Amino acid sequence: MILSLQSFSQSNFSSEISQKAEAIQSKLVEWPRYIHQHPELSNREYKTAEFVAEHLKALGIEVKTGVAKTGVVGILRGAKPGPVIALRSDMDALPIKERVDLPFKSTVTAEYLGQTVPVMHACGHDSHIAMLLGTAEVLSSMKNQLSGTVKFIFQPAEEGPPGDEEGGAPLMVKEGVMDNPKVDVVFGMHIESNIEIGRIEYKPGAFMASSDWFTIKIKGKGAHGSKPWAGVDPIAISSEIIAGLQQIVSRQMELTKAPVVITVGKINGGVRNNIIPEECTLDGTIRTLDSKMQKEVWERIKTTATKIAEASGATADVTISTKTLVTYNDTALVRMMVPSLIKATNGNTAQREWVTGSEDFSYYGEKAPAFFFYFGGMPKGNDPYRAPDHHTADFYIDDSMLNVGVKAFCNLVFDYPALAHGSKEKDKKKKGF
């Protein structure tokens, strides 16, 4: 009888959540379009933070600003006792010139690493902000029915802080965002341009890859371009190293266990057509979904680069650093909370395979059980294989169903306290307490 009453109560909450989320759909279009027209780069989200803080304060939510430089944290305390649930949105844009002809197209430029660059929300963070603001609006209106505390995390620099600056989730965690009050569970979502609007996709366990960045500096011997035998050509050696790195992926790693990606994204060497330079530098990224494979890839990259260079009479210096961890979804939490997402989407929810993209949301998962999922933003009927990708000038999101993302977050917040309590009671019975 208690369980059926609990189920009935949760069903009522879900119905009320749905009505309230749909009622603010116009705001869920207005907000991201405004933010889209006023994008800001990582660690420079000053106006975006002001916009967020102003809206949270208007809802009566406790607000802390200046967290991890430009981050905003809102705290909503429910009328009933319960856990602390964190919800996260990122806020930064990218140095990309927008090509999509929209009424709210970005024409903003900003300074990035000493250069003036165009700025665009080319990863959907503007829609993330809107959905979390919408969630705050719905939950604050249901405060008297809410069990526990909700912590709204609006995070800067998810795309990575510029230069040698600190930022993003690691700095948020370092500055105590998961404490005071201590977070019991954390949820996050990412809109996707190749998943149809209104659909949620998820994966238990390892979901998104770790991201490591590497630099390989090849030092040879300069010479005239007409006499390569008089020098040691670091550009030619670089091409051999690039090919060797792909041999690591295709011939040395057990890809049936987990995917591995090694990408060289930048090559810098030489100043003139007819001069063989002394040095050439390769910069790239590594994506892995298994910690043992990650360590092995690091060692193989170092061996491959140094030995290929050595064979030609050059030297190669390899440095590798971790940017994000594997985004890991707590399996028990996923199993418990998927029904909440199914309610929010009217059944349009499915499990998917892992992703070689990365997310610094992974750092929150080191402090509390975490669940990160994808939310669709592709117009209905479009081909997902032709949809413009994230981090491109043609990136586009259909904002007509952002209320479904609000419903997802709100259902998770209302369902988790009762489900977590029920899970603890079952554990007690199993242990004979």
Side-chain angles (χ1 to χ4, degrees):
M1 182 64 178
I2 292 173
L3 286 174
S4 64
L5 285 172
Q6 177 181 301
S7 176
F8 177 73
S9 175
Q10 288 173 350
S11 175
N12 278 353
F13 288 147
S14 184
S15 177
E16 186 174 349
I17 286 166
S18 183
Q19 290 173 8
K20 287 178 178 287
E22 289 169 11
I24 62 168
Q25 175 58 31
S26 61
K27 293 181 180 180
L28 296 172
V29 172
E30 176 190 339
W31 291 336
R33 292 186 180 189
Y34 173 80
I35 297 165
H36 192 90
Q37 275 191 302
H38 302 86
E40 295 175 294
L41 295 173
S42 302
N43 276 356
R44 307 292 185 271
E45 306 92 338
Y46 305 113
K47 295 294 184 182
T48 307
E50 286 179 18
F51 180 85
V52 167
E54 179 184 319
H55 279 72
L56 294 179
K57 287 175 183 176
L59 296 171
I61 292 172
E62 299 173 37
V63 176
K64 184 177 181 181
T65 58
V67 184
K69 300 185 185 294
T70 56
V72 180
V73 177
I75 296 177
L76 176 65
R77 301 181 193 277
K80 304 173 185 177
V84 178
I85 302 170
L87 306 174
R88 178 271 208 162
S89 164
D90 35 22
M91 301 192 297
D92 51 331
L94 289 156
I96 294 174
K97 184 175 177 61
E98 186 162 14
R99 199 155 43 209
V100 187
D101 190 16
L102 298 168
F104 49 94
K105 178 180 180 178
S106 170
T107 58
V108 171
T109 60
E111 187 271 334
Y112 179 70
L113 298 180
Q115 293 184 311
T116 299
V117 296
V119 185
M120 173 193 175
H121 269 292
C123 202
H125 297 185
D126 45 353
S127 61
H128 298 171
I129 297 167
M131 287 188 286
L132 192 53
L133 283 176
T135 301
E137 184 152 329
V138 172
L139 292 178
S140 63
S141 73
M142 301 176 70
K143 180 179 177 179
N144 290 337
Q145 300 153 282
L146 188 63
S147 298
T149 298
V150 184
K151 187 176 282 192
F152 302 95
I153 299 173
F154 291 87
Q155 176 205 308
E158 188 279 327
E159 301 293 357
D164 296 327
E165 292 182 24
E166 281 190 282
L171 187 56
M172 294 287 279
V173 171
K174 182 179 177 181
E175 293 191 3
V177 76
M178 297 295 280
D179 302 306
N180 303 319
K182 184 173 174 57
V183 172
D184 294 297
V185 66
V186 57
F187 299 104
M189 75 169 95
H190 203 299
I191 203 156
E192 284 296 304
S193 64
N194 61 359
I195 298 175
E196 195 168 82
I197 55 171
R199 180 177 175 83
I200 285 176
E201 296 185 0
Y202 67 92
K203 181 187 177 299
F207 177 32
M208 300 183 73
S210 61
S211 172
D212 303 317
W213 288 10
F214 66 84
T215 297
I216 303 173
K217 292 183 179 179
I218 301 103
K219 188 167 184 179
K221 180 183 177 185
H224 194 288
S226 66
K227 296 167 61 179
W229 53 85
V232 177
D233 188 347
I235 292 179
I237 294 166
S238 294
S239 68
E240 292 182 51
I241 291 174
I242 293 170
L245 297 181
Q246 299 315 309
Q247 291 286 331
I248 296 173
V249 175
S250 65
R251 289 295 178 268
Q252 298 174 31
M253 303 309 297
E254 190 179 349
L255 297 181
T256 55
K257 184 178 180 182
V260 172
V261 174
I262 303 174
T263 294
V264 175
K266 181 181 176 184
I267 305 173
N268 186 21
V271 293
R272 185 180 165 94
N273 304 47
N274 62 348
I275 300 173
I276 292 173
E278 287 189 359
E279 294 185 1
C280 185
T281 302
L282 307 178
D283 292 295
T285 186
I286 309 160
R287 304 301 170 99
T288 54
L289 284 126
D290 177 89
S291 58
K292 185 178 178 182
M293 292 176 78
Q294 179 188 34
K295 291 175 184 176
E296 187 175 351
V297 168
W298 281 35
E299 292 307 312
R300 289 183 183 273
I301 287 176
K302 290 173 183 176
T303 300
T304 297
T306 55
K307 295 302 181 184
I308 287 175
E310 185 182 321
S312 295
T315 60
D317 179 62
V318 182
T319 58
I320 304 175
S321 61
T322 295
K323 294 298 178 183
T324 67
L325 311 173
V326 172
T327 300
Y328 185 86
N329 284 331
D330 183 276
T331 304
L333 181 63
V334 172
R335 186 168 55 246
M336 184 166 62
M337 302 314 302
V338 162
S340 300
L341 302 182
I342 292 172
K343 279 191 297 184
T345 60
N346 289 320
N348 195 9
T349 300
Q351 187 168 329
R352 62 172 295 138
E353 294 302 315
W354 35 36
V355 179
T356 51
S358 66
E359 246 289 349
D360 73 358
F361 179 86
S362 54
Y363 287 91
Y364 301 117
E366 286 207 306
K367 296 294 183 180
F371 184 7
F372 192 76
F373 52 91
Y374 278 174
F375 176 66
M378 183 185 72
K380 284 185 183 251
N382 282 17
D383 182 351
Y385 295 101
R386 293 175 180 265
D389 203 2
H390 293 242
H391 291 216
T392 67
D394 297 308
F395 176 80
Y396 173 75
I397 287 297
D398 185 331
D399 55 22
S400 64
M401 290 184 70
L402 296 185
N403 65 82
V404 177
V406 173
K407 292 176 191 178
F409 266 160
C410 290
N411 275 308
L412 290 169
V413 168
F414 266 95
D415 290 350
Y416 176 76
L419 293 170
H421 178 74
S423 178
K424 287 178 182 177
E425 290 301 313
K426 283 182 182 178
D427 288 342
K428 284 183 181 178
K429 287 180 180 180
K430 284 182 183 178
K431 291 176 182 178
F433 291 113

